[in-house]
């Protein structure tokens, strides 16, 4: 058997992915479905760590717009990601997947603190590790947290699960002729301001040579399919020349 291109991945799930058809909060059936996707990838031999967002519950920017102090609002947003992490852990454990939650904001009676080496050991033992609370500081997002953890955990790629099957040249929900890119460079994403992830997350992935794979997490079986090269996605990466020039 050939070794897969992406053995260890970081899966970024925005909070909205856990919302299901609702407009707010956590839908248990959706958590179960996402857990089955993760289990299928794990059972196929991949090592997975996950960063969850919190936008289905609270976003700092939205809170600040309503009058909360920005830093406090961001901490509230980070706490929301911990709720999502516990919900996903629960679903994964129901599916029979050993899971640990590590939070960038220590919360000893709820989950482990973020400890890089311990997280690595969990992955080596076949456990799924969910990283909560982003980078642990306000004025960041969980996209940046995902890029940071992907680099720290030596992931082969960052998989960004969304509700579309890649990056398009226009919004495919509004423009029927919109075209999906198969491949993009980080430079193009940044120069054209393509909506893949936050610019700081894209730059971090570029500088650490971590490809970003954008795919649809709502399609049943799609994560495992994209991982073994069958599924539909857009891959954002450095060209060989760019990587060599940057000494990567
Ligand atoms: N947040 C933060 N620092 C981080 C990560 C997240 O302050 O390192 C806060 C921020 O307010 C953000 C909220 O947590 O709006 C939820 O995260 P995010 O918006 O990234 O969630 P997603 O859009 O992925 O659901």
């Amino acid at each position: 058997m050939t070794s897969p291109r992406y053995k260890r991945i970081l899966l970024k799930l925005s909070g909205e992915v856990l919302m299901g058809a609702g407009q707010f909060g956590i839908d248990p059936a959706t958590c179960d479905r996402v857990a089955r996707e993760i289990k299928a990838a794990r059972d196929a031999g991949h090592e997975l760590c996950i960063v969850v967002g919190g936008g289905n519950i609270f976003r700092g920017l939205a809170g600040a717009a309503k009058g909360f102090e920005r830093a406090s609002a961001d901490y509230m947003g980070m706490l929301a990601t911990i709720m999502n992490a516990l919900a996903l852990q629960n679903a994964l454990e129901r599916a029979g997947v050993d899971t640990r939650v590590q939070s960038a904001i220590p919360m000893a009676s709820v989950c482990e603190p973020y400890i890089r080496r311990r997280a690595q050991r969990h992955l080596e033992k076949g456990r799924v590790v969910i990283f909560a609370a982003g980078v642990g500081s306000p004025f960041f997002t969980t996209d940046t947290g995902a890029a940071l953890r992907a680099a720290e955990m030596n992931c082969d790629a960052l998989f960004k699960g969304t509700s579309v099957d890649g990056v398009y040249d226009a919004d495919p929900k509004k423009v029927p002729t919109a075209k999906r890119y198969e491949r993009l460079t980080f430079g193009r994403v940044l120069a054209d301001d393509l909506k893949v992830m936050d610019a700081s997350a894209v730059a971090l992935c570029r500088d650490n040579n971590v490809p970003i794979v954008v795919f649809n997490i709502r399609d049943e079986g799609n994560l495992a399919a994209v991982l073994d090269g069958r599924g539909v996605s857009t891959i954002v990466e450095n060209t060989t020349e760019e990587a060599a020039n940057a000494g990567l």
Side-chain angles (χ1 to χ4, degrees):
M1 194 171 109
T2 54
S3 65
R5 177 172 182 202
Y6 304 126
K7 165 83 177 157
R8 177 179 291 181
I9 65 156
L10 187 138
L11 174 64
K12 164 71 209 291
L13 297 174
S14 67
E16 283 171 6
V17 167
L18 304 183
M19 227 161 47
Q23 296 296 308
F24 177 82
I26 305 170
D27 174 43
T30 305
C31 292
D32 285 337
R33 194 185 55 69
V34 172
R36 285 198 298 276
E37 293 290 302
I38 294 163
K39 180 178 174 6
R42 206 273 323 250
D43 290 350
H46 297 277
E47 293 176 351
L48 283 104
C49 43
I50 301 169
V51 165
V52 276
N56 54 326
I57 300 171
F58 198 88
R59 275 210 175 87
L61 268 178
K66 289 183 189 147
F68 289 110
E69 183 216 358
R70 171 71 192 270
S72 300
D74 277 341
Y75 279 112
M76 291 158 77
M78 286 185 264
L79 294 179
T81 72
I82 299 175
M83 287 196 231
N84 283 334
L86 295 182
L88 194 56
Q89 176 179 41
N90 240 261
L92 281 163
E93 286 179 347
R94 274 197 298 276
V97 179
D98 259 3
T99 308
R100 299 288 186 272
V101 174
Q102 291 202 346
S103 170
I105 296 176
M107 206 178 279
S109 51
V110 174
C111 58
E112 294 181 6
Y114 173 63
I115 299 173
R116 188 178 69 89
R117 280 171 183 274
R118 189 188 279 185
Q120 269 172 338
R121 290 290 296 135
H122 289 321
L123 292 182
E124 286 158 13
K125 288 179 180 168
R127 295 174 185 144
V128 168
V129 183
I130 305 175
F131 297 118
V135 303
S137 298
F139 301 99
F140 286 93
T141 66
T142 53
D143 273 2
T144 310
L148 175 65
R149 295 289 182 249
E152 285 185 282
M153 302 305 293
N154 302 316
C155 289
D156 300 310
L158 191 168
F159 273 59
K160 162 102 174 164
T162 69
S163 57
V164 283
D165 54 11
V167 184
Y168 283 76
D169 59 1
D171 184 348
K173 289 176 181 154
K174 293 184 190 144
V175 183
T177 53
K179 282 204 187 67
R180 182 177 55 80
Y181 297 103
E182 277 293 318
R183 271 169 206 284
L184 283 165
T185 62
F186 290 116
R188 172 89 188 273
V189 168
L190 290 170
D192 292 359
D193 197 20
L194 297 174
K195 301 291 172 232
V196 175
M197 298 181 90
D198 296 347
S200 53
V202 174
L204 209 50
C205 286
R206 177 196 60 193
D207 296 349
N208 294 289
N209 213 18
V210 179
I212 302 173
V213 181
V214 182
F215 74 106
N216 191 340
I217 185 83
R218 291 181 201 255
D219 281 356
E220 196 92 39
N222 201 31
L223 174 59
V226 173
L227 275 166
D228 79 10
R230 286 177 293 115
V232 179
S233 67
T234 297
I235 301 177
V236 184
E237 59 190 348
N238 285 315
T239 61
T240 319
E241 198 187 3
E242 282 168 339
N245 288 343
L248 296 165

